[in-house]
Amino acid sequence: MEEVLPERIFPSLVALFIVVWVILFIWLFNVLYLEPNKIRLKLQRQGIKGPPPAFVMGNIHEMKRIMSMAADAPRSETHLPLGFSTSTTFPYFTQWTKRYGGTFTFALGNAQVLHVTDTKLVKEINLSKTLDLGKPSYLQEDRGPLLGKGLITSNGAVWLHQRKTIAPQLFMDKVKGNLNIMVEFVSDLVNSWLGLIELGRGSADIRVDDYIRSFTSTLISKMMFGSHYSKGVELFPKCRALMKDLQTPTILKGIPFFRYLPTKENQDVRRLEKEIYASLIDIVKEHPETAFDKMAQIIIESAKTGELGTSTPDQYIVDNYKDVYLAGFEVTVVATLWACLYAEVLEVCGGHVLDTNMLGKMKLMVIQEVLRLYLGVAFVSRQALKDVKLGDILVPKGVNIWIWIPVLHQDPELFANGISGACKSPNAYIPFGIGTQMCLGQNLAITEMKILFTIILSHFSLSLSPNYNHSPRLNLLLEPEYGVNLIIIKI
Ligand code: HEM
Ligand SMILES: *[C@@H]1O[C@H](CO)[C@@H](O)[C@H](O)[C@H]1NC(C)=O
């Protein structure tokens, strides 16, 4: 037998090493430079311009620069009663819109984004039925610990299977089945506020955040876990901690592969992700009786059949719980908190006793108006999974589409008379998104807010507390940074 000598292996190892490096280099060059460039050119040829990107970083540094300049500039007054202005929150988009028009393209790292505020394009996307217009792939990378591969981030056959499973659980008849739970909860809330008012001799300064959070989290937990809902409620503080850790998307941090670095933040994220996974699996596996209740059972059953993609059944179950939890919880909380302020601004309640009919009408208007002006969600996002034709534009495969909701919603021409202007341009009012992937919880969210305000406003008058500090802040959502304090008086 011939002996393999080290001297003969070594040169071939070196050769292999060089080949691997060359392939890696070509691959990186393609992913970071050639591909994004090709996509930009395709858009440019159709007249879509945008700020020139830097190698690897795209426009992230420029966004940071514009942001810090805007932070130094004196704050401009807004036309809103409790102002939130798009030009202070997203100064780079305002600048680029001035320079390139509402439809322009920019780059976050090597991800190309098509920025859209044109209602014609919104309409095209709304009417498009193709699954080739899906969720951006950076969501699973960037938001993985929070959303996994559940309904909010998935595409194609996997998404369809999840959507068909979960949608019927949020239809109006299911929402109506939970009216009693909602009324019961708000009645408890009224009693605890009455207690505080009594202690405060007629009025109380209340930070309403935790009450609202408790309302939405209890409700969604009951809808998912039925009688074992308290196990679900226990998960919310962890979910919130996770959201806090992930509040600046790594895609905006401008450090490639940031999420793989062993920072304290990233370690926290990993720990919380594991704990939430373990708790959810524990609820499902150790308490099989919960599984025969409510939405939990439906999701578990759906993990046995149908397209799960690359997920294991356990992973699929956990991810879909997390997605419904988060969609159903925090977005509604933020909208409701803004609504508390806005109800006060509009003086809907202002001490007047309104008859129920009038209250009903005004509340829906207030809710719609809040969702117009203070929507927690800033963008509707999509990605072209193949080349997709939208009206006159051919969106090349890989391009992400961001529809900038606040600019549509604050267009003074479209909404000259507030929300009633929505009839004039239905394509400009999109608080629950558009088209195939539109929000599944719309009925639930509006019902929750209506019940909450009907009961609260029939007992109390609300006004802004001197302890309220107005500071809309964009984290994952656009939220009141310091919470909401209200002076509450019994009527
Ligand atoms: C005021 C409260 C809410 C607002 C403003 C809101 C808004 C949105 C928006 C803008 C989207 C993205 C839609 C798109 O990409 O076109 C969305 C998706 C979603 N929402 Fe809501 N939402 C709210 C409450 C809820 C509630 C209570 C639930 C129920 C549990 C829920 C479940 C979902 C789900 C499951 C999706 C993903 C749908 C899919 O990708 O197929 N949302 N929501
Ligand atoms: C989206 O299309 C539906 C009809 O399919 C329509 O009722 C709705 O107003 C449209 N929304 C937008 C924002 O264009």
Side-chain angles (χ1 to χ4, degrees), residues 135 151 159 163 220 327-328 331-332 382 431-434 437 439 441 445:
K135 299 295 173 57
L151 179 57
W159 171 81
R163 179 98 183 175
I220 195 78
V331 190
T332 319
R382 296 284 186 272
F432 293 102
I434 45 172
Q437 291 106 329
C439 177

Side-chain angles (χ1 to χ4, degrees), residues 135 151-153 159 163 166 170 220 323-325 327-329 331-332 335 371 375-377 379-382 405 430-442 444-445 448-449:
K135 299 295 173 57
L151 179 57
I152 296 180
T153 68
W159 171 81
R163 179 98 183 175
I166 292 166
L170 294 163
I220 195 78
D323 281 25
V324 177
Y325 252 45
F329 168 51
V331 190
T332 319
L371 293 177
L375 187 63
V377 189
F379 295 97
V380 171
S381 59
R382 296 284 186 272
I405 305 179
I430 55 168
F432 293 102
I434 45 172
T436 328
Q437 291 106 329
M438 191 161 176
C439 177
L440 281 179
Q442 184 169 356
L444 176 62
E448 276 179 76
M449 288 169 87

